[in-house]
């Protein structure tokens, strides 16, 4: 018998949207039934691509009722957290590989009145974020090497999600587990069964002709 899994939160990433019409992308996300909007912030240094900064988030804020999930793929994320807080981000997630004083940054994000998330790339072991698990609200597990949308999910990243869910259960912690990269109708179920609560979806969402149907399919 298949184990029942909780309905996930769906977080479409505007990385795969038409950047000349981001307001329409936000409207599509809202109409689809997805609860969150995932904002991929890239600095051209931490990852080999550039996207946008806090002004776009701030301009988009009044146009969308969704939860703003800012994923900072930048070096020195401590320099940008307050700008994204002011711009209206609800979750501010930084990469463990990009900071020295991660615990201090999580506390600073909480001090700004926001939820703090920590992310790790596929090659980073879970042990590196273990000391933060008692304080963060979200762990974003990258299932592709970050920088670009439309890549294929790396299957062994699901083992990290499974291990992380086990750590959370044993410690009685309450952080959300988000999976980012390569989520589509074929991969969503295994990501959920591994323990993901939030499914980030970029290419699959923005290429879907019927976005509401895709969201329902991802929720299963
Ligand atoms: C990758 C980004 C992801 C990505 C997800 O660096 O962090 O959010 O855009 O897009 P898909 O679903 O296309 O892999
Ligand atoms: Zn992302």
């Amino acid at each position: 018998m298949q184990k029942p899994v909780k309905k996930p939160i769906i977080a479409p990433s505007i990385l795969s949207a038409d950047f000349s019409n981001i307001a329409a992308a936000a409207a599509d996300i809202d109409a689809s039934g997805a609860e969150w909007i995932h904002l991929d912030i890239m600095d051209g240094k931490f990852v080999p691509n550039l996207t946008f900064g806090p002004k776009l988030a701030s301009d988009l804020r009044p146009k969308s009722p969704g939860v703003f999930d800012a994923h900072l793929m930048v070096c020195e994320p401590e320099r940008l957290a307050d700008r994204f807080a002011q711009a209206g981000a609800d979750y501010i997630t930084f990469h463990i590989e990009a900071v020295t004083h991660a615990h201090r940054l999580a506390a600073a994000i909480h001090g700004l009145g926001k939820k703090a998330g920590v992310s790790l790339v596929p090659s980073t072991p879970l042990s590196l974020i273990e000391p933060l698990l008692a304080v963060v609200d979200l762990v974003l597990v990258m299932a592709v090497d970050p920088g670009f949308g439309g890549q294929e999910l790396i299957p062994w990243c699901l083992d990290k999600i499974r291990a992380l869910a086990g750590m959370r259960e044993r410690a009685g912690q309450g952080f959300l587990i988000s999976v980012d990269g390569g989520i589509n109708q074929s991969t969503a179920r295994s990501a959920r069964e591994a323990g993901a609560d939030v499914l980030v979806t970029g290419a699959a969402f923005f290429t879907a002709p019927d976005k509401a149907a895709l969201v329902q399919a991802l929720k299963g």
Side-chain angles (χ1 to χ4, degrees):
M1 201 179 79
Q2 228 172 16
K3 195 168 115 194
V5 289
K6 257 191 335 193
K7 294 278 178 212
I9 292 165
I10 307 299
S13 166
I14 59 166
L15 180 63
S16 293
D18 175 355
F19 274 23
S20 71
N21 201 353
I22 294 290
D28 282 350
I29 292 171
D30 187 31
S32 74
E35 300 90 345
W36 288 16
I37 296 194
H38 186 80
L39 304 174
D40 281 311
I41 322 302
M42 304 187 184
D43 67 354
K45 192 173 174 195
F46 181 73
V47 287
N49 198 3
L50 277 170
T51 55
F52 51 82
K55 182 167 188 304
L56 186 132
S58 156
D59 288 354
L60 207 51
R61 187 62 283 186
K63 299 188 187 296
S64 167
V67 168
F68 275 21
D69 178 31
H71 176 194
L72 305 184
M73 285 164 279
V74 303
C75 297
E76 300 183 90
E78 63 276 17
R79 288 157 55 95
L80 279 176
D82 61 336
R83 304 276 309 280
F84 278 95
Q86 282 163 27
D90 298 290
Y91 281 80
I92 300 178
T93 295
F94 59 86
H95 269 265
I96 195 68
E97 303 87 359
V99 279
T100 303
H101 304 294
H103 183 261
R104 175 181 287 156
L105 179 52
I109 293 169
H110 285 148
L112 293 163
K114 304 298 179 180
K115 305 272 193 197
V118 66
S119 183
L120 69 176
V121 305
S123 60
T124 299
L126 286 175
S127 56
L128 218 60
I129 61 162
E130 206 172 349
L132 289 179
L133 296 180
V135 296
V136 293
D137 304 290
L138 176 137
V139 176
L140 186 140
V141 178
M142 291 299 316
V144 298
D145 290 304
F148 303 94
Q151 304 182 74
E152 275 189 26
L153 179 141
I154 301 168
W156 52 259
C157 291
L158 298 183
D159 298 337
K160 287 171 83 177
I161 294 177
R162 215 167 281 117
L164 181 62
M167 288 158 77
R168 176 175 66 179
E169 195 175 335
R170 285 191 295 280
Q173 290 160 337
F175 57 85
L176 293 172
I177 300 177
S178 180
V179 57
D180 189 1
I183 293 296
N184 53 41
Q185 286 194 59
S186 333
T187 56
R189 179 92 203 170
S190 45
R192 290 171 57 200
E193 284 171 354
D197 309 293
V198 182
L199 305 179
V200 176
T201 171
F205 182 87
F206 282 101
T207 57
D210 184 343
K211 294 175 175 28
L214 176 81
V215 167
Q216 281 320 307
L218 296 179
K219 284 179 178 283

